[in-house]
Amino acid sequence: MVETKKDDEMTLQSKLAEQIPGLRESIKALIAEHGDKVISEVTIKQAYGGMRGVKGLICDTSLVDPEQGLIIRGIPVLELTDKLPEEIFYLLVMGELPDKAELKALQADFNKYAKLPDYVIDVLEAMPKDSHPMVMFDTGILVMERESIFRRKYTEGIPKTEYWGPILEDSISLLAKLPGLAGAVYQIRYKDGNLVDWDPKLDWAANYAKMLGCDDPNGEFTELMRLYLVLHSDHEGGNVSAFSCHTVASALSDPYYAVSAGLNGLAGPLHGLANQECLKFVLGISEKFGGAPTKKQLTEFAWDNLNSGQVIPGYGHAVLRQTDPRFTAFNDFGKKYMPDDPVFATVNLMFETVPGILKEHGKAANPWPNVDAGSGALLYHYGLTEFEYYTVLFSVSRAMGMCSQFIINRAIGTAITRPKSIGMSWIKDFIAKA
Ligand code: AMX
Protein backbone atom coordinates (compact mmCIF):
# COMPACT_ATOMS: atom_id res chain seq x y z
CA MET A 1 0.00 0.00 0.00
CA VAL A 2 1.27 3.48 -0.89
CA GLU A 3 1.64 5.85 2.08
CA THR A 4 1.69 9.66 2.02
CA LYS A 5 4.83 11.76 2.17
CA LYS A 6 5.88 14.12 5.02
CA ASP A 7 7.58 17.44 4.21
CA ASP A 8 10.86 16.73 6.06
CA GLU A 9 11.53 13.42 4.26
CA MET A 10 14.55 12.90 2.01
CA THR A 11 13.39 12.83 -1.58
CA LEU A 12 14.96 11.78 -4.84
CA GLN A 13 15.16 15.51 -5.65
CA SER A 14 17.05 16.46 -2.45
CA LYS A 15 19.39 13.46 -2.54
CA LEU A 16 20.28 14.03 -6.17
CA ALA A 17 20.92 17.72 -5.42
CA GLU A 18 23.45 16.60 -2.80
CA GLN A 19 25.12 14.19 -5.22
CA ILE A 20 25.44 16.45 -8.27
CA PRO A 21 28.32 18.79 -7.22
CA GLY A 22 30.59 15.78 -6.50
CA LEU A 23 29.61 14.16 -9.78
CA ARG A 24 30.40 17.30 -11.76
CA GLU A 25 33.76 17.69 -10.02
CA SER A 26 34.72 14.06 -10.75
CA ILE A 27 33.89 14.44 -14.44
CA LYS A 28 35.73 17.76 -14.67
CA ALA A 29 38.83 16.20 -13.09
CA LEU A 30 38.59 13.12 -15.32
CA ILE A 31 38.44 15.22 -18.48
CA ALA A 32 41.20 17.57 -17.27
CA GLU A 33 43.54 14.71 -16.47
CA HIS A 34 42.62 12.07 -19.07
CA GLY A 35 40.48 13.90 -21.65
CA ASP A 36 42.81 13.13 -24.58
CA LYS A 37 43.08 9.37 -24.01
CA VAL A 38 41.67 7.25 -26.86
CA ILE A 39 38.90 4.83 -25.80
CA SER A 40 37.69 3.64 -29.20
CA GLU A 41 38.56 3.49 -32.87
CA VAL A 42 36.08 3.40 -35.75
CA THR A 43 36.45 1.23 -38.81
CA ILE A 44 34.77 1.85 -42.15
CA LYS A 45 32.69 -1.28 -41.51
CA GLN A 46 31.43 0.18 -38.23
CA ALA A 47 30.65 3.54 -39.85
CA TYR A 48 28.46 1.73 -42.38
CA GLY A 49 27.28 -0.78 -39.78
CA GLY A 50 25.27 1.20 -37.26
CA MET A 51 28.36 2.20 -35.24
CA ARG A 52 28.22 -1.27 -33.63
CA GLY A 53 30.67 -1.48 -30.74
CA VAL A 54 31.98 2.09 -31.03
CA LYS A 55 32.50 3.53 -27.55
CA GLY A 56 31.34 7.11 -27.93
CA LEU A 57 28.60 7.53 -25.36
CA ILE A 58 28.48 7.73 -21.58
CA CYS A 59 25.73 5.88 -19.71
CA ASP A 60 25.98 5.22 -15.98
CA THR A 61 22.51 3.80 -15.39
CA SER A 62 23.11 0.27 -16.69
CA LEU A 63 25.33 -1.92 -18.83
CA VAL A 64 24.80 -5.08 -20.84
CA ASP A 65 27.45 -7.69 -20.13
CA PRO A 66 27.84 -10.40 -22.83
CA GLU A 67 27.78 -13.14 -20.18
CA GLN A 68 25.65 -11.70 -17.37
CA GLY A 69 23.17 -9.59 -19.32
CA LEU A 70 21.62 -6.46 -17.87
CA ILE A 71 23.33 -4.95 -14.84
CA ILE A 72 21.59 -1.93 -13.31
CA ARG A 73 23.93 0.30 -11.31
CA GLY A 74 26.16 -2.69 -10.55
CA ILE A 75 23.30 -5.04 -9.61
CA PRO A 76 22.49 -7.98 -11.95
CA VAL A 77 18.84 -7.70 -12.98
CA LEU A 78 17.96 -11.13 -11.56
CA GLU A 79 18.69 -9.72 -8.10
CA LEU A 80 16.12 -6.98 -8.66
CA THR A 81 13.08 -9.03 -9.66
CA ASP A 82 11.38 -8.59 -6.26
CA LYS A 83 11.54 -4.78 -6.47
CA LEU A 84 8.85 -2.36 -7.54
CA PRO A 85 9.49 -0.56 -10.84
CA GLU A 86 9.55 2.82 -9.07
CA GLU A 87 12.38 1.49 -6.87
CA ILE A 88 14.24 0.68 -10.09
CA PHE A 89 13.66 4.22 -11.37
CA TYR A 90 15.15 5.56 -8.14
CA LEU A 91 18.08 3.16 -8.49
CA LEU A 92 18.68 4.17 -12.11
CA VAL A 93 18.79 7.87 -11.22
CA MET A 94 20.56 7.74 -7.86
CA GLY A 95 22.77 4.66 -8.11
CA GLU A 96 21.22 3.16 -4.96
CA LEU A 97 17.87 1.67 -4.01
CA PRO A 98 15.53 3.88 -1.98
CA ASP A 99 14.81 3.18 1.67
CA LYS A 100 11.19 2.95 2.79
CA ALA A 101 10.77 6.70 3.32
CA GLU A 102 12.44 7.60 0.03
CA LEU A 103 10.20 5.18 -1.85
CA LYS A 104 7.17 6.60 -0.08
CA ALA A 105 8.18 10.12 -1.09
CA LEU A 106 8.61 9.11 -4.74
CA GLN A 107 5.25 7.31 -4.77
CA ALA A 108 3.63 10.42 -3.27
CA ASP A 109 5.05 12.42 -6.20
CA PHE A 110 3.62 9.86 -8.62
CA ASN A 111 0.24 10.28 -6.94
CA LYS A 112 0.50 14.05 -7.31
CA TYR A 113 1.11 13.89 -11.05
CA ALA A 114 -0.79 10.76 -12.14
CA LYS A 115 -3.98 12.31 -13.44
CA LEU A 116 -4.09 12.25 -17.22
CA PRO A 117 -5.25 15.59 -18.69
CA ASP A 118 -8.72 15.33 -20.28
CA TYR A 119 -7.46 16.67 -23.61
CA VAL A 120 -5.29 13.55 -24.03
CA ILE A 121 -8.38 11.36 -24.00
CA ASP A 122 -10.04 13.68 -26.54
CA VAL A 123 -7.02 13.34 -28.83
CA LEU A 124 -6.90 9.54 -28.50
CA GLU A 125 -10.62 9.25 -29.17
CA ALA A 126 -10.29 11.45 -32.26
CA MET A 127 -7.59 9.24 -33.80
CA PRO A 128 -8.49 6.75 -36.57
CA LYS A 129 -9.82 3.53 -35.05
CA ASP A 130 -7.13 1.45 -36.74
CA SER A 131 -4.20 3.58 -35.44
CA HIS A 132 -1.33 1.50 -34.14
CA PRO A 133 -1.31 1.55 -30.31
CA MET A 134 2.27 2.86 -30.40
CA VAL A 135 1.16 5.83 -32.52
CA MET A 136 -1.59 6.54 -30.01
CA PHE A 137 0.81 6.21 -27.08
CA ASP A 138 3.52 8.43 -28.60
CA THR A 139 0.94 11.01 -29.72
CA GLY A 140 -0.46 11.06 -26.17
CA ILE A 141 3.00 11.81 -24.76
CA LEU A 142 3.73 14.50 -27.31
CA VAL A 143 0.40 16.22 -26.84
CA MET A 144 1.17 16.54 -23.12
CA GLU A 145 4.26 18.63 -23.90
CA ARG A 146 2.34 21.71 -22.81
CA GLU A 147 2.68 20.36 -19.23
CA SER A 148 6.48 20.68 -19.37
CA ILE A 149 7.90 22.50 -16.35
CA PHE A 150 11.35 22.53 -17.97
CA ARG A 151 10.17 24.39 -21.05
CA ARG A 152 8.50 27.05 -18.86
CA LYS A 153 11.57 27.44 -16.61
CA TYR A 154 13.90 27.54 -19.61
CA THR A 155 11.84 30.33 -21.15
CA GLU A 156 12.06 32.19 -17.82
CA GLY A 157 15.87 31.94 -17.99
CA ILE A 158 16.79 29.22 -15.47
CA PRO A 159 20.61 28.79 -15.27
CA LYS A 160 22.16 25.79 -17.00
CA THR A 161 23.34 24.30 -13.69
CA GLU A 162 19.71 23.95 -12.59
CA TYR A 163 18.26 22.34 -15.72
CA TRP A 164 18.22 18.90 -14.09
CA GLY A 165 15.62 19.94 -11.46
CA PRO A 166 12.69 20.63 -13.81
CA ILE A 167 13.81 17.74 -16.03
CA LEU A 168 13.48 15.43 -13.01
CA GLU A 169 10.09 16.95 -12.19
CA ASP A 170 8.92 16.54 -15.81
CA SER A 171 10.18 12.95 -15.79
CA ILE A 172 8.28 12.03 -12.63
CA SER A 173 5.19 13.78 -13.94
CA LEU A 174 5.43 11.97 -17.28
CA LEU A 175 6.16 8.54 -15.76
CA ALA A 176 3.24 8.95 -13.35
CA LYS A 177 0.90 9.57 -16.28
CA LEU A 178 2.07 6.62 -18.40
CA PRO A 179 -0.11 3.89 -16.84
CA GLY A 180 -3.15 6.13 -17.37
CA LEU A 181 -2.11 6.88 -20.94
CA ALA A 182 -1.22 3.27 -21.79
CA GLY A 183 -4.42 2.08 -20.10
CA ALA A 184 -6.46 4.60 -22.11
CA VAL A 185 -4.80 3.49 -25.37
CA TYR A 186 -5.74 -0.11 -24.58
CA GLN A 187 -9.33 0.63 -23.56
CA ILE A 188 -10.02 3.01 -26.47
CA ARG A 189 -8.27 0.90 -29.11
CA TYR A 190 -9.49 -2.55 -28.09
CA LYS A 191 -12.28 -2.32 -25.50
CA ASP A 192 -15.30 -0.14 -24.77
CA GLY A 193 -13.34 3.01 -23.94
CA ASN A 194 -14.19 3.00 -20.22
CA LEU A 195 -11.17 4.25 -18.29
CA VAL A 196 -10.06 3.24 -14.81
CA ASP A 197 -8.93 6.08 -12.51
CA TRP A 198 -5.52 6.11 -10.81
CA ASP A 199 -5.74 4.70 -7.28
CA PRO A 200 -3.30 6.49 -4.91
CA LYS A 201 -3.25 3.46 -2.62
CA LEU A 202 -1.71 1.27 -5.31
CA ASP A 203 1.83 1.23 -6.69
CA TRP A 204 2.68 2.22 -10.26
CA ALA A 205 2.50 -1.29 -11.78
CA ALA A 206 -0.62 -2.26 -9.82
CA ASN A 207 -2.35 0.83 -11.17
CA TYR A 208 -1.32 -0.10 -14.70
CA ALA A 209 -2.54 -3.69 -14.25
CA LYS A 210 -5.89 -2.39 -13.03
CA MET A 211 -6.18 0.09 -15.89
CA LEU A 212 -5.66 -2.72 -18.42
CA GLY A 213 -8.63 -4.49 -16.89
CA CYS A 214 -7.31 -8.05 -17.26
CA ASP A 215 -8.77 -10.75 -15.08
CA ASP A 216 -6.63 -10.85 -11.93
CA PRO A 217 -8.37 -12.65 -9.05
CA ASN A 218 -5.13 -13.74 -7.34
CA GLY A 219 -2.99 -10.71 -8.15
CA GLU A 220 -0.80 -12.77 -10.52
CA PHE A 221 -1.23 -10.37 -13.43
CA THR A 222 -0.25 -7.45 -11.18
CA GLU A 223 2.83 -9.42 -10.15
CA LEU A 224 3.64 -10.02 -13.82
CA MET A 225 3.27 -6.31 -14.57
CA ARG A 226 5.72 -5.43 -11.76
CA LEU A 227 8.20 -7.95 -13.11
CA TYR A 228 7.70 -6.84 -16.73
CA LEU A 229 8.21 -3.17 -15.87
CA VAL A 230 11.36 -3.96 -13.87
CA LEU A 231 12.92 -6.19 -16.53
CA HIS A 232 12.48 -3.80 -19.48
CA SER A 233 13.46 -0.62 -17.65
CA ASP A 234 16.86 0.12 -19.20
CA HIS A 235 19.48 -1.39 -21.54
CA GLU A 236 22.53 0.92 -21.71
CA GLY A 237 22.68 4.10 -23.77
CA GLY A 238 23.35 2.97 -27.35
CA ASN A 239 20.16 1.10 -28.27
CA VAL A 240 17.88 2.88 -30.73
CA SER A 241 15.36 4.27 -28.24
CA ALA A 242 17.90 5.38 -25.61
CA PHE A 243 20.17 6.96 -28.20
CA SER A 244 17.29 8.72 -30.01
CA CYS A 245 15.98 10.10 -26.72
CA HIS A 246 19.49 11.16 -25.73
CA THR A 247 20.06 12.99 -29.00
CA VAL A 248 16.77 14.87 -28.92
CA ALA A 249 17.27 15.73 -25.23
CA SER A 250 20.76 17.03 -25.95
CA ALA A 251 19.15 19.84 -27.96
CA LEU A 252 17.42 20.81 -24.67
CA SER A 253 14.08 19.56 -25.90
CA ASP A 254 12.02 18.56 -22.86
CA PRO A 255 11.18 14.97 -21.80
CA TYR A 256 7.86 14.94 -23.66
CA TYR A 257 9.66 15.57 -26.96
CA ALA A 258 12.61 13.34 -26.18
CA VAL A 259 10.81 10.31 -24.73
CA SER A 260 8.26 10.23 -27.54
CA ALA A 261 11.17 10.39 -30.03
CA GLY A 262 12.85 7.44 -28.31
CA LEU A 263 9.63 5.46 -28.32
CA ASN A 264 9.13 6.06 -32.04
CA GLY A 265 12.37 4.08 -32.39
CA LEU A 266 11.19 1.40 -29.98
CA ALA A 267 8.19 0.91 -32.29
CA GLY A 268 10.45 -0.57 -34.98
CA PRO A 269 10.46 -4.32 -35.76
CA LEU A 270 14.17 -4.64 -35.08
CA HIS A 271 13.74 -3.17 -31.61
CA GLY A 272 10.66 -3.21 -29.36
CA LEU A 273 8.31 -4.80 -31.85
CA ALA A 274 10.22 -8.12 -31.77
CA ASN A 275 8.17 -9.42 -28.81
CA GLN A 276 4.99 -9.58 -30.89
CA GLU A 277 6.87 -11.53 -33.60
CA CYS A 278 7.94 -14.11 -31.04
CA LEU A 279 4.46 -14.76 -29.77
CA LYS A 280 3.17 -15.02 -33.34
CA PHE A 281 5.79 -17.69 -34.00
CA VAL A 282 4.91 -19.66 -30.86
CA LEU A 283 1.16 -19.48 -31.59
CA GLY A 284 1.84 -20.60 -35.15
CA ILE A 285 3.46 -23.75 -33.76
CA SER A 286 0.62 -24.39 -31.29
CA GLU A 287 -1.92 -23.91 -34.08
CA LYS A 288 -0.11 -26.27 -36.46
CA PHE A 289 0.13 -29.07 -33.92
CA GLY A 290 -3.16 -28.42 -32.08
CA GLY A 291 -1.42 -27.46 -28.80
CA ALA A 292 2.12 -27.88 -27.50
CA PRO A 293 4.16 -29.93 -30.02
CA THR A 294 6.36 -32.91 -29.27
CA LYS A 295 10.11 -32.35 -29.26
CA LYS A 296 10.36 -34.12 -32.63
CA GLN A 297 7.65 -31.95 -34.18
CA LEU A 298 9.25 -28.78 -32.84
CA THR A 299 12.68 -29.80 -34.11
CA GLU A 300 11.30 -30.37 -37.61
CA PHE A 301 9.39 -27.10 -37.51
CA ALA A 302 12.50 -25.16 -36.45
CA TRP A 303 14.65 -26.72 -39.17
CA ASP A 304 12.00 -26.02 -41.83
CA ASN A 305 11.99 -22.40 -40.67
CA LEU A 306 15.77 -22.09 -40.81
CA ASN A 307 16.02 -23.90 -44.16
CA SER A 308 13.52 -21.47 -45.66
CA GLY A 309 15.90 -18.65 -44.72
CA GLN A 310 14.02 -17.30 -41.72
CA VAL A 311 15.25 -16.59 -38.20
CA ILE A 312 13.88 -18.16 -35.05
CA PRO A 313 12.41 -15.18 -33.21
CA GLY A 314 13.41 -14.73 -29.59
CA TYR A 315 16.83 -16.31 -30.06
CA GLY A 316 20.14 -14.55 -30.58
CA HIS A 317 21.42 -11.18 -29.46
CA ALA A 318 23.74 -8.46 -30.67
CA VAL A 319 25.63 -8.26 -27.36
CA LEU A 320 24.61 -11.17 -25.11
CA ARG A 321 26.29 -14.56 -25.41
CA GLN A 322 24.21 -16.41 -22.82
CA THR A 323 20.54 -16.92 -21.97
CA ASP A 324 19.17 -13.47 -21.28
CA PRO A 325 18.54 -13.33 -17.50
CA ARG A 326 15.32 -11.46 -18.25
CA PHE A 327 14.14 -14.55 -20.17
CA THR A 328 15.06 -16.66 -17.12
CA ALA A 329 12.98 -14.41 -14.87
CA PHE A 330 9.94 -14.68 -17.15
CA ASN A 331 10.43 -18.44 -17.51
CA ASP A 332 10.55 -18.88 -13.72
CA PHE A 333 7.31 -16.91 -13.48
CA GLY A 334 5.67 -19.16 -16.08
CA LYS A 335 6.86 -22.33 -14.34
CA LYS A 336 5.38 -21.07 -11.09
CA TYR A 337 2.00 -19.88 -12.32
CA MET A 338 1.16 -21.63 -15.60
CA PRO A 339 3.27 -24.77 -16.05
CA ASP A 340 0.48 -26.48 -18.00
CA ASP A 341 -0.47 -23.60 -20.28
CA PRO A 342 0.09 -24.96 -23.83
CA VAL A 343 1.58 -21.69 -25.13
CA PHE A 344 4.00 -21.47 -22.21
CA ALA A 345 4.78 -25.19 -22.60
CA THR A 346 5.77 -24.48 -26.23
CA VAL A 347 8.05 -21.62 -25.10
CA ASN A 348 9.64 -23.95 -22.58
CA LEU A 349 10.11 -26.74 -25.10
CA MET A 350 11.70 -24.23 -27.49
CA PHE A 351 14.17 -23.29 -24.75
CA GLU A 352 15.12 -26.97 -24.42
CA THR A 353 15.36 -27.52 -28.17
CA VAL A 354 16.26 -24.39 -30.15
CA PRO A 355 19.75 -23.61 -28.75
CA GLY A 356 21.00 -27.07 -29.86
CA ILE A 357 19.48 -26.56 -33.31
CA LEU A 358 21.00 -23.08 -33.71
CA LYS A 359 24.41 -24.42 -32.63
CA GLU A 360 24.16 -27.14 -35.27
CA HIS A 361 22.96 -24.56 -37.82
CA GLY A 362 26.17 -22.71 -37.03
CA LYS A 363 25.28 -19.12 -37.90
CA ALA A 364 23.96 -17.30 -34.85
CA ALA A 365 26.72 -15.99 -32.61
CA ASN A 366 24.39 -16.54 -29.66
CA PRO A 367 22.01 -19.53 -29.77
CA TRP A 368 20.32 -18.64 -26.48
CA PRO A 369 16.94 -16.94 -25.87
CA ASN A 370 16.58 -13.18 -25.48
CA VAL A 371 13.97 -11.31 -23.40
CA ASP A 372 11.35 -11.48 -26.13
CA ALA A 373 11.26 -15.29 -26.33
CA GLY A 374 8.88 -15.75 -23.43
CA SER A 375 7.15 -12.58 -22.28
CA GLY A 376 4.32 -12.74 -24.84
CA ALA A 377 3.17 -16.19 -23.69
CA LEU A 378 2.72 -14.89 -20.14
CA LEU A 379 0.72 -11.84 -21.24
CA TYR A 380 -1.38 -14.05 -23.50
CA HIS A 381 -2.18 -16.37 -20.59
CA TYR A 382 -3.83 -13.50 -18.67
CA GLY A 383 -5.96 -12.44 -21.62
CA LEU A 384 -3.76 -9.68 -23.03
CA THR A 385 -3.94 -11.17 -26.49
CA GLU A 386 -3.56 -8.06 -28.67
CA PHE A 387 0.08 -8.49 -29.88
CA GLU A 388 0.28 -5.04 -31.39
CA TYR A 389 -0.12 -3.57 -27.91
CA TYR A 390 2.92 -5.35 -26.42
CA THR A 391 5.38 -2.61 -27.42
CA VAL A 392 3.31 -0.15 -25.36
CA LEU A 393 4.02 -2.24 -22.24
CA PHE A 394 7.70 -2.23 -23.15
CA SER A 395 7.48 1.56 -23.62
CA VAL A 396 5.97 2.26 -20.21
CA SER A 397 8.92 0.44 -18.68
CA ARG A 398 11.69 1.75 -20.95
CA ALA A 399 10.56 5.34 -20.33
CA MET A 400 12.17 4.93 -16.88
CA GLY A 401 15.55 4.23 -18.47
CA MET A 402 15.24 7.06 -20.95
CA CYS A 403 14.16 9.56 -18.28
CA SER A 404 16.89 8.54 -15.84
CA GLN A 405 19.61 8.88 -18.49
CA PHE A 406 18.09 12.25 -19.44
CA ILE A 407 18.13 13.54 -15.84
CA ILE A 408 21.76 12.50 -15.34
CA ASN A 409 22.83 14.06 -18.63
CA ARG A 410 21.33 17.40 -17.68
CA ALA A 411 22.83 17.12 -14.20
CA ILE A 412 26.33 16.65 -15.58
CA GLY A 413 25.79 19.06 -18.47
CA THR A 414 26.40 16.65 -21.36
CA ALA A 415 26.90 18.57 -24.60
CA ILE A 416 24.63 18.52 -27.64
CA THR A 417 25.13 15.33 -29.70
CA ARG A 418 27.00 16.10 -32.91
CA PRO A 419 29.17 13.30 -34.32
CA LYS A 420 30.94 14.03 -37.60
CA SER A 421 29.54 12.38 -40.70
CA ILE A 422 31.62 11.62 -43.76
CA GLY A 423 30.66 10.65 -47.30
CA MET A 424 31.85 7.93 -49.65
CA SER A 425 34.16 10.35 -51.49
CA TRP A 426 35.84 11.17 -48.14
CA ILE A 427 36.33 7.47 -47.49
CA LYS A 428 37.72 6.86 -51.00
CA ASP A 429 40.17 9.79 -50.62
CA PHE A 430 41.16 8.48 -47.22
CA ILE A 431 41.83 4.99 -48.62
CA ALA A 432 43.80 6.43 -51.55
CA LYS A 433 46.02 8.48 -49.21
CA ALA A 434 46.51 5.67 -46.68
N1 AMX B 1 17.70 -17.66 -36.05
C1 AMX B 1 18.35 -17.88 -37.20
N2 AMX B 1 19.48 -17.24 -37.58
C2 AMX B 1 19.98 -16.37 -36.70
C3 AMX B 1 19.38 -16.11 -35.46
C4 AMX B 1 18.18 -16.79 -35.14
N3 AMX B 1 17.52 -16.59 -34.02
N4 AMX B 1 20.12 -15.19 -34.81
C5 AMX B 1 21.13 -14.86 -35.62
N5 AMX B 1 21.04 -15.57 -36.77
C6 AMX B 1 21.89 -15.45 -37.95
C7 AMX B 1 21.80 -14.00 -38.43
O1 AMX B 1 20.64 -13.81 -39.24
C8 AMX B 1 23.10 -13.88 -39.22
O2 AMX B 1 22.91 -14.50 -40.46
P1 AMX B 1 23.58 -13.88 -41.81
O3 AMX B 1 25.05 -14.01 -41.59
O4 AMX B 1 23.03 -14.72 -42.90
O5 AMX B 1 23.13 -12.44 -41.87
C9 AMX B 1 24.05 -14.73 -38.39
O6 AMX B 1 23.22 -15.60 -37.59
C10 AMX B 1 24.93 -13.92 -37.45
O7 AMX B 1 24.11 -13.05 -36.67
P2 AMX B 1 24.52 -12.65 -35.18
O8 AMX B 1 25.81 -11.91 -35.25
O9 AMX B 1 24.43 -13.83 -34.31
O10 AMX B 1 23.32 -11.71 -34.74
P3 AMX B 1 23.15 -10.12 -34.97
O11 AMX B 1 23.88 -9.41 -33.90
O12 AMX B 1 23.42 -9.75 -36.38
O13 AMX B 1 21.57 -9.96 -34.74
C11 AMX B 1 19.52 -10.46 -33.66
C12 AMX B 1 20.99 -10.13 -33.46
C13 AMX B 1 18.79 -10.43 -32.31
C14 AMX B 1 18.82 -9.41 -34.57
C15 AMX B 1 19.41 -11.85 -34.30
O14 AMX B 1 19.94 -12.81 -33.40
C16 AMX B 1 18.01 -12.24 -34.69
O15 AMX B 1 17.56 -11.90 -35.80
N6 AMX B 1 17.25 -12.95 -33.78
C17 AMX B 1 15.90 -13.32 -34.04
C18 AMX B 1 14.97 -12.11 -33.87
C19 AMX B 1 14.88 -11.68 -32.43
O16 AMX B 1 14.80 -12.46 -31.51
N7 AMX B 1 14.86 -10.35 -32.19
C20 AMX B 1 14.73 -9.82 -30.82
C21 AMX B 1 16.02 -9.18 -30.35
C22 AMX B 1 15.90 -8.73 -28.90
C23 AMX B 1 15.72 -7.26 -28.81
O17 AMX B 1 16.66 -6.52 -29.03
N8 AMX B 1 14.51 -6.82 -28.52
Side-chain angles (χ1 to χ4, degrees):
M1 168 161 162
V2 175
E3 298 166 56
T4 47
K5 158 180 148 186
K6 295 192 204 80
D7 284 344
D8 57 348
E9 275 167 355
M10 280 304 271
T11 60
L12 178 54
Q13 290 85 335
S14 59
K15 282 198 90 169
L16 189 60
E18 275 178 10
Q19 198 188 69
I20 288 172
L23 202 56
R24 286 181 185 152
E25 277 312 308
S26 308
I27 295 167
K28 213 167 133 191
L30 204 66
I31 295 173
E33 214 176 318
H34 304 286
D36 291 331
K37 295 213 164 92
V38 176
I39 54 170
S40 209
E41 287 181 334
V42 186
T43 62
I44 293 169
K45 189 174 161 193
Q46 286 173 308
Y48 274 108
M51 297 188 281
R52 184 74 68 91
V54 176
K55 297 184 193 75
L57 277 171
I58 303 291
C59 173
D60 286 323
T61 54
S62 68
L63 71 88
V64 181
D65 180 84
E67 301 301 319
Q68 291 186 71
L70 175 62
I71 298 176
I72 298 179
R73 292 287 195 170
I75 309 175
V77 71
L78 280 184
E79 291 173 28
L80 293 166
T81 51
D82 62 339
K83 302 290 175 230
L84 292 173
E86 49 268 51
E87 291 180 273
I88 302 299
F89 174 63
Y90 190 104
L91 172 66
L92 286 162
V93 176
M94 273 304 298
E96 64 186 33
L97 283 160
D99 63 22
K100 220 170 151 237
E102 288 156 355
L103 174 63
K104 197 169 68 174
L106 180 60
Q107 289 178 321
D109 275 343
F110 274 49
N111 284 341
K112 180 170 108 189
Y113 285 122
K115 181 163 173 12
L116 200 62
D118 290 340
Y119 61 79
V120 181
I121 308 298
D122 295 342
V123 169
L124 295 181
E125 282 175 342
M127 291 180 76
K129 296 295 164 229
D130 60 354
S131 298
H132 193 284
M134 278 301 285
V135 177
M136 296 174 77
F137 189 65
D138 288 351
T139 303
I141 291 177
L142 199 53
V143 85
M144 288 195 287
E145 195 278 334
R146 65 187 291 282
E147 311 293 326
S148 175
I149 301 163
F150 173 75
R151 180 156 65 84
R152 185 160 44 79
K153 296 266 183 191
Y154 184 84
T155 312
E156 287 165 10
I158 185 177
K160 192 176 174 181
T161 48
E162 289 172 25
Y163 287 168
W164 68 269
I167 293 293
L168 174 59
E169 218 55 29
D170 272 354
S171 296
I172 292 173
S173 172
L174 175 59
L175 289 172
K177 291 175 176 64
L178 292 187
L181 174 60
V185 168
Y186 186 70
Q187 297 299 342
I188 292 169
R189 180 68 174 71
Y190 298 108
K191 303 287 171 184
D192 56 10
N194 287 330
L195 308 185
V196 178
D197 285 337
W198 175 270
D199 181 346
K201 289 191 219 61
L202 299 178
D203 57 83
W204 196 57
N207 262 295
Y208 187 21
K210 210 167 148 212
M211 285 162 169
L212 287 171
C214 292
D215 205 21
D216 194 20
N218 308 318
E220 284 174 29
F221 182 68
T222 300
E223 200 183 316
L224 176 61
M225 280 299 100
R226 290 192 184 115
L227 180 66
Y228 193 101
L229 297 179
V230 165
L231 295 179
H232 289 82
S233 58
D234 200 36
H235 224 226
E236 290 188 350
N239 65 74
V240 168
S241 49
F243 188 44
S244 307
C245 178
H246 172 91
T247 303
V248 174
S250 79
L252 298 186
S253 300
D254 59 58
Y256 296 88
Y257 282 124
V259 171
S260 66
L263 294 179
N264 286 331
L266 196 76
L270 292 188
H271 195 10
L273 209 74
N275 50 14
Q276 81 177 50
E277 296 299 318
C278 292
L279 183 59
K280 241 190 247 170
F281 185 85
V282 173
L283 290 179
I285 298 175
S286 304
E287 202 177 306
K288 177 163 180 179
F289 299 109
T294 63
K295 203 165 179 166
K296 187 165 175 284
Q297 286 170 326
L298 181 60
T299 304
E300 276 169 22
F301 189 92
W303 274 114
D304 285 349
N305 198 68
L306 289 170
N307 291 336
S308 66
Q310 294 175 62
V311 297
I312 304 206
Y315 285 75
H317 201 271
V319 180
L320 266 167
R321 293 296 173 258
Q322 280 298 336
T323 296
D324 190 329
R326 299 171 300 169
F327 171 84
T328 308
F330 279 136
N331 211 41
D332 289 347
F333 186 97
K335 279 183 191 152
K336 184 170 169 191
Y337 291 117
M338 59 193 80
D340 301 325
D341 179 297
V343 181
F344 174 70
T346 304
V347 167
N348 223 6
L349 192 63
M350 280 181 73
F351 182 36
E352 286 171 25
T353 316
V354 169
I357 295 173
L358 283 178
K359 278 185 204 165
E360 198 179 327
H361 186 241
K363 265 185 154 186
N366 175 31
W368 301 105
N370 58 55
V371 65
D372 295 321
S375 57
L378 308 186
L379 298 169
Y380 198 79
H381 177 83
Y382 294 107
L384 200 64
T385 54
E386 299 84 359
F387 311 155
E388 278 197 328
Y389 183 78
Y390 289 178
T391 315
V392 175
L393 291 154
F394 193 158
S395 302
V396 173
S397 175
R398 189 51 64 85
M400 291 193 288
M402 288 192 274
C403 285
S404 55
Q405 293 185 25
F406 191 162
I407 295 158
I408 293 164
N409 277 307
R410 291 294 75 75
I412 63 178
T414 308
I416 186 166
T417 303
R418 184 57 171 95
K420 175 77 184 145
S421 59
I422 44 168
M424 191 188 274
S425 57
W426 187 97
I427 292 183
K428 285 187 172 163
D429 282 353
F430 171 81
I431 294 167
K433 282 181 199 145

